[in-house]
Amino acid sequence: MFTAAFGILGVLSLVYFGIIAVYSGIETSAAWIWPVFAAVCFLLAKGDRYYHQHRRQVPLWIPVSVATLCITGFVVLMILQILIFGGMIKSAPSHLDYLIVLGAKVREDDISSSLKRRLDKAIRYAQEHPETKLVLSGGQGEDEPTSEALAMAEYLLYNGISPDQMLLEVYSTNTRENMLCSKALIDNQRKIEKEAARQSQIRKQVIRMELAYFLKERERQWEAAGYTPSKLDMRGPCAQAKRVRLAPAKEPSMAALEILPDKPLQIGVLTSNFHLFRAMKIGEKCGFDQLYGVSSSADPVLFIHLLVRESIAILKDKFMGNM
């Protein structure tokens, strides 16, 4: 029974590997998973057949260990799939201050299918929420002609998104760096916006002080000259100025100038649906207080491959302490 099952799994793995090679090329990221898995299945099928033919010659601990390892691997894979699919169903609030768009492969003459799907989702979100800043995150890989962030910006500009709605992060090379560098960029942008608002508030306060001083000085001059309301031309601008009674101007304080309090920002991350769980967990590890997920669809032909590849990536990042 197990011999046949392992054999079928091995054949299916090789067939799927062939589909991947024809559909997206032999260089598809982590495509090696499937021939390796097929080889393991064929070895298990051969081992199971040998065990049933030479049961007395094989120590019991060997089949028990192999069975335990296979069952454990299957259970871990199922748990990871539950986590991945659970991350897909999370939704973002109606308003986000910033939306981090994670980069993906950029080819010599085109962008990858995954990146195009993410950008198309970002375009729809930006059009529906023009107040949200898009943080385009992705550096330049060794085999990429330009940084992923710049390629994303060009695609968004071509599709009508304003450059004022974009921030570019061009240094990251993996998901952890995506989140770290994006956080630093958002924090810096926040400081710039608060300082600009503070300077604007100072200018307004200075204008109010100068106007108050002018009116008080004019009023003092009228009183020194013995003017009374009856002697003033009540039809002219002086009459309007005479009626203005302002409190004495005070020096602006830092409390009065603080117009952008440190309220919690609404920050989201946009990536492929299968990648959303890991991206958000890494983001939380990188210091984001709370992240909201926005997912794009994945290629239906490569979906199974992407799920398996993502499971391996989750285990790797968990082992390395990234999430």
Side-chain angles (χ1 to χ4, degrees):
M1 175 181 176
F2 290 109
T3 301
F6 286 132
I8 293 172
L9 284 176
V11 171
L12 290 177
S13 297
L14 288 179
V15 171
Y16 190 51
F17 174 70
I19 293 173
I20 293 174
V22 172
Y23 179 74
S24 60
I26 195 70
E27 72 280 358
T28 301
S29 177
W32 55 265
I33 293 173
W34 299 102
V36 169
F37 184 68
V40 171
C41 288
F42 291 142
L43 285 174
L44 289 173
K46 186 175 181 179
D48 184 65
R49 183 168 60 250
Y50 180 86
Y51 172 71
H52 284 88
Q53 293 175 352
H54 307 85
R55 186 183 298 268
R56 295 182 179 180
Q57 301 176 11
V58 179
L60 183 59
W61 66 268
I62 294 180
V64 170
S65 299
V66 172
T68 302
L69 185 62
C70 292
I71 293 172
T72 301
F74 178 78
V75 171
V76 170
L77 181 62
M78 290 300 101
I79 293 174
L80 291 173
Q81 298 312 304
I82 292 172
L83 294 175
I84 291 172
F85 278 94
M88 294 182 189
I89 63 176
K90 294 181 179 179
S91 59
S94 58
H95 167 74
L96 289 172
D97 297 294
Y98 297 92
L99 179 61
I100 302 170
V101 185
L102 300 186
K105 183 73 173 179
V106 174
R107 295 189 288 264
E108 195 67 37
D109 56 351
D110 198 5
I111 59 176
S112 63
S113 173
S114 293
L115 185 54
K116 185 179 185 304
R117 290 169 184 268
R118 296 178 191 182
L119 293 177
D120 289 341
K121 181 72 174 185
I123 290 170
R124 292 193 295 272
Y125 193 94
Q127 291 172 342
E128 295 171 0
H129 306 87
E131 73 286 351
T132 300
K133 293 279 189 182
L134 301 179
V135 181
L136 310 180
S137 180
Q140 181 177 1
E142 294 181 357
D143 57 345
E144 291 179 313
T146 185
S147 68
E148 295 169 2
L150 183 57
M152 288 191 283
E154 292 176 352
Y155 187 90
L156 294 180
L157 286 170
Y158 180 79
N159 285 277
I161 303 302
S162 169
D164 295 334
Q165 203 174 350
M166 305 180 206
L167 297 173
L168 271 64
E169 182 284 297
V170 298
Y171 301 104
S172 57
T173 58
N174 55 49
T175 303
R176 179 176 179 274
E177 293 179 3
N178 283 145
M179 305 311 295
L180 283 173
C181 295
S182 296
K183 186 177 187 304
L185 182 61
I186 291 172
D187 290 343
N188 184 63
Q189 179 69 18
R190 183 66 173 168
K191 290 178 182 178
I192 293 173
E193 291 174 353
K194 291 183 68 175
E195 181 60 25
R198 180 177 177 276
Q199 293 298 327
S200 175
Q201 183 73 349
I202 289 176
R203 288 193 294 271
K204 292 178 182 178
Q205 186 75 353
V206 169
I207 291 173
R208 286 196 296 267
M209 291 174 63
E210 290 177 345
L211 178 61
Y213 175 80
F214 170 79
L215 293 177
K216 294 295 290 185
E217 182 65 18
R218 179 58 57 86
E219 185 176 285
R220 186 188 66 77
Q221 293 174 359
W222 286 338
E223 292 176 351
Y227 288 156
T228 62
S230 60
K231 296 179 181 180
L232 293 173
D233 183 3
M234 302 307 293
R235 295 169 299 174
C238 291
Q240 299 298 323
K242 183 65 178 178
R243 294 193 187 102
V244 176
R245 299 286 182 173
L246 296 179
K250 298 181 180 180
E251 291 293 326
S253 65
M254 293 304 296
L257 298 177
E258 183 63 41
I259 66 171
L260 283 178
D262 289 326
K263 65 178 183 66
L265 293 176
Q266 301 271 45
I267 301 176
V269 55
L270 190 162
T271 186
S272 303
N273 52 16
F274 64 88
H275 185 228
L276 194 57
F277 169 78
R278 181 162 63 101
M280 294 182 66
K281 287 300 180 182
I282 291 176
E284 293 172 5
K285 186 76 172 182
C286 291
F288 286 99
D289 294 331
Q290 186 173 12
L291 280 174
Y292 300 92
V294 179
S295 65
S296 64
S297 61
D299 191 304
V301 175
L302 299 176
F303 190 58
I304 296 176
H305 170 67
L306 296 171
L307 288 176
V308 175
R309 189 188 71 181
E310 185 66 13
S311 299
I312 296 174
I314 290 174
L315 293 175
K316 182 197 71 173
D317 279 322
K318 186 65 176 178
F319 178 76
M320 296 180 64
N322 294 335
M323 55 181 292

